Amino acid sequence: MNKTRKKVHIISHSHWDREWYMSYEQHHMRLIELIDDLLELFKTDSEFNSFHLDGQSIIIDDYLSVRPEKEEELRSAIRQGKLKIGPFYILQDAFLTSSESNVRNMLIGMQESQKWGSPVMLGYFPDTFGNMGQTPQLMQQVNITTAAFGRGVRAIGFDNQILSDENYSSQFSEMNWIGPDGSKILGILFANWYSNGNEIPTSVEKAKKFWDKKLMDAEKYASTNHLLLMNGVDHQPVQKDITKAIKLANELYPDYHFIHSNFTDYLSAVKAELPKNVGNVFGELTSQETDGWFTLANTASTRVYLKQWNTKVSHQLEKIAEPLASMAYEITGKYPTDQLTYAWKTFMQNHPHDSICGCSVDEVCREMIPRFEKANEVGKYVEEEAKNQLVSEIDTSVFPKDSFPFVVFNTSGTEKAGLVKIDVEVDRIPFSSLYPTDGYNKLSEKKSKKYHVINQFGERMAAIVSDEKIRFNYDLPKDKFREPYMEKYVTVTVAMEQMPGFSWESFALVKADYESNQESMVIDNGFGLENEFIKLKIENQGSIQITDKQTNKTLSNLLIFEDVGDIGNEYVFKQPSEDQAILSTQFPFEVIVAEDNGLEAKIILKNKMLIPESANKLLKEEQEKIVDFRYR
């Protein structure tokens, strides 16, 4: 290593979890204080280089929601380079969110940052619970050549040997990160965490003790003469006397040059001196030292309802609303960009690691549900608008005049086959014609009809049509008030063959003069299902056996539920010693045939398990004493 004078880059920052061990608004109010202090500090200390705003542009919106009058002052600080922003919208978990969510976080973050100034061109993942493998490829797409992260790679240092097959270790804090497609960027590991330069002393005795350790720790991993000290930590107030602390450090350690720096300058200096022998790490960075302590993998199953909601909204936006909006664009020439951006921004507010991982306090998790609901409702609105635009342009004149046309959409990019369910209106009486109750009664008095389904060529389709039902509904015209009515409808289940990606197909309900006979798929008096591909049996203990009839392969003991104790914490699971698993096969069960119509068959397997209500009082005592979960 070059033995010239080393430069110590001190970067002021605060890792800002929007919500975590306190509710969002509790953290929010403290954010206002932080940025107020920064704006004042920029005026009073000309030697204060800059403050890194944690890589997430949403902080700007959060601040201005309370201090709108500070917009111009904030904008000026960003343009002067005092406040370093972007490139992301929020600091997103990489694994519990969808691939598209990771892309949108980058796209929206870059757009939001560029409204204010130039974003810091650094992929910033200080506390992500493991890092996604395609990060190098994603960063290169927006011309970012470096990523910084705190988890997922084990720092080894100069006294250890790197194993040739070790993808998750690095001798240096700098390394090449190579994605599955061969994309390569520079990776910077916070080997001593992103708080290794927090609260730097301004008194001689404390400063010597601080710097003797911090310099040694940083030098253990640095591959160049440029050492990184991160002056801040989670929700840390800005150190207002940082320039005084730096001045003292320069006096005490003449062999080093201490500067108040920023990531742009630091990365430029590191790249200019980067040796050729830095190591490589590949793909996902998920080092699982001490059973997931560092990437906290157990949060994947914490508060499962949050993960379910997240998947639901992801599907609504990515797989339904946006594909339909894209199809409709070819007709209207308009795309709901602003509405969808709003939905994505609302949705992604639930994606920071402490939020989607379900490891925050209850108040945080309760506040997440309305965000999911709001984003989902926007997605449903976009879906309905696009479907209405498309249906209005689809020619259904090929069907009989007394039929009831309907459309099926495939919003995926690939061919799909399967069952599709859709409600089709067969009659209505507007409120303007009859009082609602009278309208309901009149529809009820009409003789029920039977229907079958035909395609645009008049061919009969494999389908199941339910009995007629009546309900309240309404139209929302674009040029007049809501138009309510009572409607009679049926639910149609159509068996679709290989339907091309991003396509639609028209069908129609026509009156049937006979009942169709469908073969049952329920066997063994309701304790099994069978079709030409699969045979399923419920075994004596309430488990399931499935046989693939094409390969003649059988799998047994499936769908067994297990309950064990957990005395860990909100991040890590720990099963008590000598704990015995309780299995669903140890209890009685019930089987109910829920559906058997020839196209689909369903049976419900109901298990009732007797499980402990809670751990004993020792756990509460250990929690109150803050006993580390590993030693409970």
Side-chain angles (χ1 to χ4, degrees):
M1 183 181 289
N2 192 334
K3 294 184 178 180
T4 58
R5 190 181 185 204
K6 294 183 178 180
K7 184 173 286 189
V8 182
H9 294 257
I10 300 167
I11 298 179
S12 291
H13 79 107
S14 184
H15 174 52
W16 204 264
D17 299 293
R18 294 182 78 239
E19 50 196 20
W20 177 24
Y21 55 86
M22 294 185 293
S23 68
Y24 164 69
E25 291 299 347
Q26 287 284 346
H27 286 303
H28 188 193
M29 295 303 103
R30 287 162 176 79
L31 174 67
I32 307 307
E33 294 180 1
L34 169 65
I35 298 185
D36 282 348
D37 288 345
L38 285 170
L39 294 178
E40 183 62 26
L41 189 59
F42 296 156
K43 299 176 193 174
T44 58
D45 188 349
S46 59
E47 295 182 7
F48 189 95
N49 178 283
S50 59
F51 189 89
H52 184 71
L53 206 57
D54 203 35
Q56 46 180 325
S57 63
I58 194 173
I59 290 177
I60 300 172
D61 295 337
D62 289 344
Y63 178 71
L64 292 177
S65 67
V66 175
R67 294 270 198 263
E69 73 280 3
K70 294 282 189 176
E71 179 175 339
E72 285 307 314
E73 188 176 353
L74 193 68
R75 188 181 299 276
S76 176
I78 294 169
R79 287 178 174 170
Q80 292 174 31
K82 291 293 186 180
L83 203 56
K84 302 292 187 180
I85 64 170
F88 301 146
Y89 180 61
I90 49 91
L91 292 188
Q92 182 169 351
D93 178 79
F95 292 115
L96 294 176
T97 53
S98 69
S99 301
E100 185 63 25
S101 295
N102 284 289
V103 173
R104 295 305 175 96
N105 186 39
M106 169 60 77
L107 290 176
I108 292 176
M110 291 289 283
Q111 292 167 356
E112 291 292 301
S113 300
Q114 289 165 357
K115 292 178 184 178
W116 296 91
S118 299
V120 177
M121 299 301 280
L122 169 68
Y124 195 61
F125 306 93
D127 201 15
T128 307
F129 296 174
N131 297 286
M132 56 184 171
Q134 288 183 297
T135 299
Q137 180 183 1
L138 179 59
M139 295 301 103
Q140 285 192 355
Q141 291 290 312
V142 290
N143 298 316
I144 290 178
T145 58
T146 308
F149 47 88
R151 301 180 189 268
V153 171
R154 179 161 54 95
I156 293 178
F158 299 126
D159 298 330
N160 297 277
Q161 182 179 2
I162 299 179
L163 301 177
S164 60
D165 61 348
E166 175 58 87
N167 286 344
Y168 300 140
S169 67
S170 176
Q171 182 179 17
F172 301 114
S173 51
E174 298 80 35
M175 65 206 74
N176 295 313
W177 186 359
I178 302 173
D181 70 332
S183 299
K184 182 169 72 173
I185 60 175
L186 174 63
I188 303 291
L189 172 67
F190 295 124
N192 299 298
W193 207 229
Y194 54 76
S195 58
N196 65 327
N198 192 33
E199 297 182 351
I200 301 175
T202 56
S203 63
V204 172
E205 184 177 347
K206 290 182 178 180
K208 284 183 177 180
K209 184 177 180 181
F210 178 91
W211 285 116
D212 284 348
K213 176 172 175 51
K214 297 296 183 179
L215 293 172
M216 179 182 68
D217 288 345
E219 289 175 327
K220 183 178 180 181
Y221 303 111
S223 66
T224 72
N225 288 310
H226 296 275
L227 308 181
L228 177 62
L229 273 291
M230 297 292 288
N231 177 233
V233 72
D234 300 8
H235 310 104
Q236 178 75 6
V238 61
Q239 183 173 347
K240 297 179 181 179
D241 59 358
I242 186 65
T243 56
K244 179 181 177 182
I246 292 173
K247 182 178 180 181
L248 176 61
N250 278 311
E251 294 172 357
L252 295 176
Y253 295 84
D255 292 338
Y256 296 84
H257 181 200
F258 298 82
I259 63 169
H260 198 217
S261 189
N262 57 75
F263 274 113
T264 302
D265 294 345
Y266 166 71
L267 294 174
S268 177
V270 167
K271 289 178 180 179
E273 292 187 13
L274 198 67
K276 294 182 179 180
N277 66 329
V278 295
N280 299 320
V281 292
F282 301 89
E284 292 183 353
L285 305 183
T286 54
S287 174
Q288 290 294 323
E289 292 188 25
T290 56
D291 297 325
W293 178 254
F294 288 109
T295 47
L296 305 174
N298 295 158
T299 57
S301 59
T302 300
R303 300 186 193 256
V304 172
Y305 65 92
L306 296 178
K307 280 69 170 178
Q308 292 170 326
W309 255 113
N310 186 70
T311 299
K312 177 179 179 178
V313 181
S314 290
H315 286 179
Q316 180 62 45
L317 293 178
E318 300 169 25
K319 299 183 178 182
I320 301 175
E322 293 197 322
L324 284 170
S326 298
M327 293 180 195
Y329 175 80
E330 296 191 10
I331 295 172
T332 66
K334 298 178 181 179
Y335 192 81
T337 302
D338 294 338
Q339 293 94 324
L340 286 167
T341 298
Y342 167 74
W344 273 106
K345 289 170 74 172
T346 304
F347 183 37
M348 289 192 295
Q349 289 172 27
N350 284 344
H351 286 173
H353 44 270
D354 292 310
S355 300
I356 191 59
C357 291
C359 48
S360 293
V361 295
D362 292 346
E363 291 87 344
V364 168
C365 299
R366 285 198 296 268
E367 191 165 359
M368 290 172 64
I369 300 302
R371 295 186 198 130
F372 281 133
E373 291 174 332
K374 286 158 67 74
N376 194 54
E377 290 300 322
V378 176
K380 287 162 62 177
Y381 171 83
V382 171
E383 172 192 354
E384 288 301 315
E385 288 289 293
K387 286 194 298 189
N388 290 337
Q389 291 161 354
L390 287 164
V391 168
S392 68
E393 296 294 326
I394 294 174
D395 183 9
T396 58
S397 61
V398 297
F399 296 113
K401 289 185 177 180
D402 60 347
S403 66
F404 303 96
F406 63 94
V407 181
V408 173
F409 296 93
N410 177 12
T411 57
S412 73
T414 58
E415 286 189 349
K416 290 192 73 175
L419 299 180
V420 176
K421 288 191 176 183
I422 184 170
D423 290 344
V424 180
E425 179 187 299
V426 296
D427 200 356
R428 75 163 63 177
I429 297 178
F431 281 18
S432 58
S433 299
L434 277 179
Y435 187 74
T437 305
D438 295 332
Y440 184 97
N441 291 335
K442 185 173 182 179
L443 289 173
S444 299
E445 292 166 359
K446 291 186 177 182
K447 184 179 179 180
S448 295
K449 301 180 182 66
K450 297 297 181 182
Y451 305 90
H452 64 251
V453 177
I454 60 172
N455 62 17
Q456 58 186 323
F457 305 109
E459 301 166 336
R460 183 164 177 172
M461 299 292 296
I464 298 296
V465 182
S466 73
D467 292 333
E468 294 176 337
K469 304 172 191 174
I470 302 172
R471 67 184 173 192
F472 161 78
N473 210 337
Y474 57 85
D475 290 332
L476 287 174
K478 296 295 185 181
D479 58 351
K480 60 181 72 174
F481 188 61
R482 181 182 66 161
E483 297 179 339
Y485 53 87
M486 302 303 296
E487 77 168 350
K488 182 177 281 190
Y489 72 99
V490 294
T491 300
V492 181
T493 304
V494 183
M496 301 297 300
E497 298 299 330
Q498 295 298 333
M499 191 174 179
F502 299 127
S503 67
W504 57 82
E505 193 168 340
S506 300
F507 302 94
L509 273 180
V510 295
K511 295 175 185 176
D513 53 5
Y514 60 88
E515 294 274 0
S516 59
N517 295 318
Q518 303 287 350
E519 292 185 7
S520 172
M521 289 184 281
V522 175
I523 60 174
D524 296 338
N525 296 316
F527 278 67
L529 299 172
E530 184 174 9
N531 61 16
E532 59 183 304
F533 304 106
I534 294 290
K535 184 175 183 179
L536 178 149
K537 294 181 67 176
I538 297 176
E539 300 180 298
N540 292 333
Q541 298 81 20
S543 64
I544 286 178
Q545 179 191 89
I546 294 180
T547 299
D548 184 328
K549 296 168 70 173
Q550 309 299 307
T551 63
N552 203 31
K553 184 175 182 179
T554 298
L555 299 175
S556 298
N557 297 316
L558 305 177
L559 204 66
I560 298 176
F561 293 91
E562 176 185 273
D563 183 83
V564 298
D566 182 4
I567 56 172
N569 59 23
E570 61 269 46
Y571 299 94
V572 182
F573 165 79
K574 177 182 173 64
Q575 187 174 355
S577 60
E578 302 181 7
D579 184 45
Q580 296 295 315
I582 300 173
L583 303 178
S584 57
T585 50
Q586 299 167 347
F587 299 91
F589 63 93
E590 179 184 1
V591 177
I592 303 169
V593 177
E595 194 83 51
D596 185 26
N597 57 34
L599 282 184
E600 64 177 336
K602 298 179 183 178
I603 52 178
I604 298 173
L605 173 61
K606 297 180 70 173
N607 296 95
K608 291 185 178 181
M609 300 172 62
L610 185 65
I611 61 175
E613 182 180 32
S614 66
N616 62 31
K617 63 180 181 181
L618 177 61
L619 176 60
K620 182 173 179 59
E621 180 181 321
E622 289 174 333
Q623 290 173 330
E624 291 174 347
K625 292 179 178 178
I626 319 296
V627 175
D628 187 290
F629 79 93
R630 291 171 292 180
Y631 311 117
R632 290 176 185 170

